[in-house]
Structures are given as C-alpha cells and as structure tokens.
Amino acid sequence: MEEKPYKASLGSHGSDISSPDNDIRNLWTRATLSQPNLNVPRSRVGEDSDMEGSSSGTKSRRWYNQKARRDSDGGWEEWDDGEDKESFRQEDLDEPSLLELELRRAGSLRSRLEEEEDLGAGLGALGHLSLLLPLQLPLPLMELMENEALEILTKALRSYRSGIGRDHFLTKQLHGCIEGLKRRRSKRLNILGH
Amino acid sequence: MRLKQGSFLWYLYLDKLYCLLSVRNVRALLEYFHLLDVHHNNTLNDVLFYHFLHHVTSWKRTQIMIVFNMLDWNAMGEIGFDQFYMLVCILLAQQNHLEEQFIFRHSRPVFELLDLDGELRIGPDNFHMYNFLFNIKKQDLKELYHDFDITGDRRLNYKEFKLFTIFTMDKYQERQKAEKDEEKGKKDLLKKKRLHQVNVSLKQFLGINVSESRI
C-alpha cells in the first residue's frame, strides 16, 4: 500500500490510527466529501454520479430522496463554519491529487478483483444505486466487511438452529451463505499468500 | 452507546452538517447490507438485525428490539435498506455527539418514528422509550413540554416539535461557541504566560550582562 503523505484523521472518532490500511479506508470513505469545486469529468469518476431518487409514499424514501436531490442539485454544499475544518485534515493535500491517487488505486484494485457480484437482481428501491456506482470498494474495506458479516452470521446461525432447527430451509440458506463467505476469504488469503 | 471500535460502521463518516452519509459511503453500506441479507429479500429479519446490532453496539436486547419495532413501520417483521440506512445515520450521529444536529436536520422523519400510534402527536412516553437513541435528557424533556406545548394537550404536534429542535440546535451551537471561546481563552493565557517567562529570562540575562560590564 502506498504511504500517505499525511496522516488521515478519523475526525470525530477520536484516536488516530496510523496504519496504512486504516488511512486508506478513511481516504476512501471521506474523499470528495464537501468538494463543491471538483471539476472532474463524470467519465473519470465512476463512483460520484448523481443519484435519482425514486418517488414513493413511504417516509423513509422521502427522507432518503431528499438527500439524493440535494446531491444532484450541486454536489456538496460549501461548509461555512471553520469548526469542521479540524476534522478534515485531508485539506492538507490538494483535492485533485487526492482524487487522482484514489482513482489510480481504484483502477489497480479493480484489475485485481477476480469476480464481480451479480447485483442486478432483486435490489428493491435502491437497486439503481449499484448500477450507477460500480463496485470499486477497496479490498481492505471488503475484507473488513466480510469478516464482520461472517462473525454476525455465525452467531445468527446458532439462533436459527436453536429457534427453527438445523433442517429448516432458512437455516440451510444461512449456512450456505456462511460457507460462501468462508470460501471467498480463504481464496483471498491464498491470493495474497502468493 | 458506543460503536465497536474497528467495526465497519466505525469507519463510516457522517457529514456533520447534514448528518447523512456520502453516496460513496452509502454504496459501501449497501454492500454490507447485502452481505447480511442472506435470504436475498433485500431485508433483514429480527434475528439478523439483533445479531448485527448486538455485534456493533453496546445495546441490550430490549433496546435492540425497541429499535427494530420502531423501524419496522410496515409491521412486516423485516427491515429494508432505507430503514437500515436511517438507523446507521442515527448510530453515527450518537457516536459523534450530533444528536441535536440530527434531530434538527431530520425533524420530520424523527417525529414520524417517535409517533408510534400515527396520531401526529407525541407524548412524553414516546420520548422516554427512545431516550437511549436520541439522548434527550430528562431536564430537556421537562423544558420541552413546558415551553413548547403551545396547544396545552401535553403532547407535541409536528410544529411544536420542530420549534423544539430549532431551540435545541441554537443551544447546541451556543455551547459549541462557548467551548471554542474557552479553549481560545486558555490558549491566549498560555501564550501570555510564555511571553512573560521569556521577558523575565531576557531581563535576567540582560541584568547579568550589565553587572558584568560594570565590573
């Protein structure tokens, strides 16, 4: 992993974690946040496309779409209060170079990914989101997510078994998902080992 | 409530102004949601939801089930991504001490969440039940009903609730400003002390030199 020229701040999380993995995660989750003057063509930035919210009667969708409309209206609002600057130490780095760094990394990670998940089927109200934003999550983030999901699902499996039994199709379905995650994890570890 | 350090949610970043996630963060959250959606319904049932919250927060079972029932506003026994996203924003707001900001920015959805019976009015019981979620203190609650219950029915309609959120937000900003001024005051004091020390040491240095030259 490339060394960062600055130490990314977790902002309101409190303690600073200096490992490159965590810096990259911070960089990824907070890059392009509140950058109203970013002049990067849409074709170059696959992830930052505007989102069209679907209209429906439910309160949550109204709330979520309000946020989406705000995004499509002009991207990020300029922050006019200085108190937020201390949590944005990434301003130490130029915004274009930050984005460039990230795009380069995303490109190299993409080429390393062996398979993409099929996200087209059955995504519900926010299904269009995955179509607009192709899967470009950094590998360390994916690993973190999968490991955590594995822990949660393993505990859920115990509840399923005690609640509805081992032979119930839902228990088997959950068990199958857990096995799939374990296989992906071991595959990834094998790749990294080589 | 504190989020488990090092968990996936812990790394997400909540916009401090709008108390929402960026599109990129939402994309990652969606991926995470799909990992937990083992039955491919685009939902989490109560068991999965419980284990998820139990893993990432310090909430007890009763609190988790209260949250589940609150979010399951269709009474389907499952939580979709929209509700999941809202929950994550609430968790992050709590983690970053942005409860007042969150309630101010999203007063309508919060009001609708608290309005369990759909009567378009919320009583003190509603607030008590969700106190652990929005961190509304008892004293603030008393003020709330004393100052903002304009209709006098001991319940708040949306407008009264909105006034409360504006008032709370003003208080929050004043508190922030006071903390900033206090910090600035301390820094100025420290600066003055240092300057004074430098002056004293300079005078001492010059005083010694003058006495040596006389000799």
Side-chain angles (χ1 to χ4, degrees):
Chain A
M1 298 245 180
E2 293 176 22
E3 282 289 323
K4 290 280 148 295
Y6 73 102
K7 190 174 168 186
S9 166
L10 287 170
S12 51
H13 290 304
S15 59
D16 287 329
I17 296 175
S18 55
S19 72
D21 285 350
N22 295 333
D23 286 344
I24 285 163
R25 277 193 284 264
N26 291 334
L27 184 69
W28 189 86
T29 56
R30 292 170 61 183
T32 72
L33 195 63
S34 298
Q35 293 180 354
N37 299 322
L38 197 61
N39 292 322
V40 180
R42 187 188 281 257
S43 56
R44 286 191 62 200
V45 184
E47 294 174 7
D48 289 332
S49 51
D50 293 338
M51 204 175 70
E52 291 172 9
S54 60
S55 58
S56 72
T58 63
K59 50 190 162 182
S60 63
R61 287 185 192 150
R62 275 205 304 275
W63 178 68
Y64 188 75
N65 289 334
Q66 191 180 0
K67 192 266 173 192
R69 273 198 293 279
R70 194 176 292 124
D71 282 348
S72 61
D73 281 344
W76 303 101
E77 298 267 337
E78 281 187 33
W79 290 31
D80 55 4
D81 47 344
E83 63 192 64
D84 295 304
K85 282 183 185 168
E86 61 192 22
S87 64
F88 280 95
R89 290 183 204 164
Q90 67 203 45
E91 67 191 20
D92 292 337
L93 200 65
D94 286 340
E95 288 168 4
S97 57
L98 190 75
L99 181 64
E100 202 183 351
L101 197 67
E102 194 185 333
L103 285 172
R104 247 188 279 137
R105 190 176 305 108
S108 65
L109 284 172
R110 207 182 306 131
S111 62
R112 267 191 263 158
L113 284 173
E114 291 191 0
E115 54 187 23
E116 277 193 16
E117 291 179 358
D118 178 20
L119 299 173
L123 288 172
L126 289 163
H128 57 277
L129 185 59
S130 64
L131 296 174
L132 289 171
L133 301 170
L135 182 63
Q136 290 179 2
L137 300 176
L139 276 178
L141 192 62
M142 282 302 300
E143 199 183 316
L144 172 74
M145 281 162 52
E146 287 183 359
N147 287 341
E148 190 168 293
L150 201 55
E151 285 180 48
I152 293 168
L153 294 175
T154 306
K155 291 178 198 168
L157 185 63
R158 280 184 227 135
S159 299
Y160 271 52
R161 282 175 175 166
S162 60
I164 54 176
R166 283 177 175 266
D167 296 329
H168 198 280
F169 81 95
L170 291 175
T171 312
K172 288 180 183 174
Q173 203 171 25
L174 174 54
H175 184 69
C177 268
I178 290 171
E179 292 303 312
L181 277 173
K182 283 180 179 170
R183 272 198 299 273
R184 267 160 62 177
R185 189 171 64 170
S186 57
K187 206 175 177 182
R188 198 172 44 239
L189 287 170
N190 288 337
I191 291 165
L192 287 172
H194 292 117
Chain B
M1 189 283 299
R2 302 304 291 170
L3 284 175
K4 184 181 170 182
Q5 192 167 349
S7 63
F8 169 67
L9 292 194
W10 194 74
Y11 285 109
L12 290 178
Y13 185 80
L14 191 75
D15 186 297
K16 277 187 181 177
L17 196 58
Y18 296 106
C19 294
L20 290 167
L21 299 178
S22 68
V23 176
R24 193 193 300 270
N25 279 246
V26 171
R27 181 66 184 88
L29 187 68
L30 182 64
E31 196 55 37
Y32 182 75
F33 181 81
H34 284 307
L35 287 174
L36 297 176
D37 172 29
V38 293
H39 304 301
H40 309 294
N41 291 334
N42 299 314
T43 57
L44 301 182
N45 57 35
D46 54 341
V47 176
L48 295 168
F49 184 82
Y50 165 77
H51 284 288
F52 157 69
L53 272 185
H54 184 71
H55 185 82
V56 302
T57 70
S58 50
W59 283 340
K60 297 172 201 163
R61 178 177 273 275
T62 43
Q63 289 171 321
I64 293 172
M65 295 325 292
I66 284 171
V67 172
F68 181 83
N69 291 333
M70 178 188 79
L71 293 174
D72 181 22
W73 54 65
N74 294 331
M76 301 280 287
E78 291 172 326
I79 299 293
F81 182 71
D82 288 346
Q83 294 98 323
F84 186 74
Y85 173 48
M86 186 186 280
L87 170 66
V88 167
C89 289
I90 293 172
L91 290 174
L92 290 171
Q94 222 187 81
Q95 173 77 3
N96 298 309
H97 308 290
L98 292 169
E99 295 96 333
E100 291 96 340
Q101 178 91 324
F102 185 88
I103 295 174
F104 171 70
R105 287 284 171 188
H106 308 296
S107 51
R108 178 54 90 174
V110 169
F111 181 83
E112 288 175 353
L113 281 178
L114 295 174
D115 178 24
L116 273 179
D117 302 324
E119 292 174 341
L120 303 179
R121 278 174 174 50
I122 47 179
D125 295 339
N126 302 92
F127 278 104
H128 278 305
M129 193 187 275
Y130 300 114
N131 191 25
F132 66 93
L133 207 53
F134 298 112
N135 205 23
I136 300 172
K137 298 181 186 70
K138 245 184 183 173
Q139 184 55 36
D140 291 344
L141 208 57
K142 279 184 187 169
E143 276 178 20
L144 175 68
Y145 280 91
H146 185 260
D147 297 336
F148 297 99
D149 182 18
I150 299 164
T151 49
D153 59 351
R154 297 191 62 76
R155 292 198 295 173
L156 298 181
N157 59 24
Y158 175 65
K159 284 183 183 168
E160 290 164 347
F161 180 71
K162 182 74 187 172
L163 277 173
F164 164 71
T165 64
I166 294 168
F167 175 73
T168 313
M169 190 60 202
D170 283 343
K171 266 175 75 173
Y172 170 75
Q173 283 173 343
E174 276 170 25
R175 211 167 47 232
Q176 295 279 86
K177 199 181 168 214
E179 280 170 14
K180 251 190 176 174
D181 291 342
E182 198 184 316
E183 210 178 302
K184 198 185 169 203
K186 280 182 185 168
K187 278 184 184 168
D188 289 343
L189 195 64
L190 196 64
K191 232 181 185 177
K192 277 181 189 169
K193 271 186 184 171
R194 282 187 186 155
L195 268 170
H196 176 70
Q197 280 170 359
V198 165
N199 282 340
V200 163
S201 52
L202 263 175
K203 279 180 187 170
Q204 284 173 352
F205 176 74
L206 289 170
I208 289 165
N209 272 357
V210 165
S211 60
E212 279 175 354
S213 67
R214 277 183 192 158
I215 292 166

